[in-house]
Amino acid sequence: MVTGAWGGCRSAPVRRAGVPGATARSFHPSPTTPVITTATVVAFWLGAADTLAADVTREARADFKRSNQVVAEYLGDTDIALVATVSDTVAVQLERG
C-alpha cells in the first residue's frame, strides 16, 4: 500500500518478496483515511489550515460542496471517481498490493 501523503510517517523500509533490493513502507490508514483503489480525483478541505472568518468559511464550504457535485456529475460518464475529504491523508492501494 502506498500513500498519497505520508505526513511524517517514517517507518522502517520492509523488503518486498520476489523483488531483489526493492523496499516498501508499511502503512496502516485510520478508519477515516480514504483508500483510493481506482482512478480518482481527490478534493481536500483542510479545516486545520483554514484562515477564513467563520461566515466566509461557511460560504466557501458550501461552494466547495457544490463544485464537487458538478465535478462528480461530469465524471459520472467516465471511470474516474471523486472523493471529497476533510482528511489530510489519503492512501493509494495499487492493483498488486
Side-chain angles (χ1 to χ4, degrees), residues 53-67:
D55 58 334
V56 176
T57 298
R58 280 189 295 279
E59 187 176 322
R61 185 98 183 231
D63 288 344
F64 176 74
K65 289 178 181 179
R66 279 192 297 274
S67 67

Side-chain angles (χ1 to χ4, degrees), residues 39-70:
T40 303
V41 172
V42 179
F44 291 93
W45 180 273
L46 301 178
D50 194 350
T51 59
L52 301 173
D55 58 334
V56 176
T57 298
R58 280 189 295 279
E59 187 176 322
R61 185 98 183 231
D63 288 344
F64 176 74
K65 289 178 181 179
R66 279 192 297 274
S67 67
N68 287 340
Q69 289 173 343
V70 170

